[in-house]
Amino acid sequence: MVHVLSSRVLLRPTDPERSRTFYSELLGLPVYREFGTGPERGTVYFLGGGFLEVSGRSEAPLAPAVRLWLQVADAAAAHEELVAKGVAVLRPPVREPWGLVEMWIEDPDGVRIVLVEVPADHPMRYRPGI
């Protein structure tokens, strides 16, 4: 078995500065670390139990199959905050048949991001014996 000590998603944006602005200022992700210099320098953001690294540059956007799943405490509050900052919401918060509240946005390169609220009554919150 592979013993994973840490993990991160790596994004190579077409416009690194635009993507850093999106993840830093619009989503408000806290910065874990920065490295390198110049326009293609790297920025690593905290993502709850993992990290998101935005570094380098790509000539073309990522494949449309790439998605980010970010759990938030309150999808309605996240929706209000993001709309106030001018983030285009692809789909406002909706309680799905599987019980999660999901809202969809996308980053400047079209990477789809689902913001997920796990309601108090959802089975993901159930931990036997606790």
Side-chain angles (χ1 to χ4, degrees):
M1 173 190 250
V2 176
H3 182 75
V4 178
L5 300 176
S6 182
S7 65
R8 67 176 66 172
V9 174
L10 305 174
L11 292 182
R12 302 290 185 251
T14 57
D15 182 337
E17 196 57 43
R18 180 181 67 178
S19 291
R20 274 193 293 278
T21 297
F22 176 81
Y23 288 104
S24 294
E25 295 176 20
L26 298 178
L27 280 189
L29 297 180
V31 173
Y32 169 65
R33 69 181 290 258
E34 294 181 293
F35 57 91
T37 59
E40 296 174 26
R41 70 190 179 280
T43 304
V44 181
Y45 300 95
F46 283 105
L47 283 184
F51 300 96
L52 171 68
E53 178 181 316
V54 177
S55 62
R57 181 184 298 268
S58 176
E59 295 302 316
L62 290 171
V66 174
R67 305 280 192 265
L68 295 178
W69 190 97
L70 306 178
Q71 184 178 345
V72 298
D74 185 334
H79 178 258
E80 287 179 26
E81 179 181 339
L82 293 172
V83 167
K85 290 181 176 181
V87 174
V89 174
L90 302 176
R91 200 187 81 186
V94 172
R95 186 160 186 151
E96 300 290 356
W98 46 88
L100 298 174
V101 178
E102 297 185 1
M103 174 180 112
W104 286 87
I105 61 174
E106 64 183 8
D107 84 354
D109 281 325
V111 174
R112 296 278 173 113
I113 302 168
V114 59
L115 300 175
V116 179
E117 175 185 338
V118 181
D121 63 345
H122 193 275
M124 285 177 70
R125 291 199 183 246
Y126 174 71
R127 294 193 276 174
I130 295 179

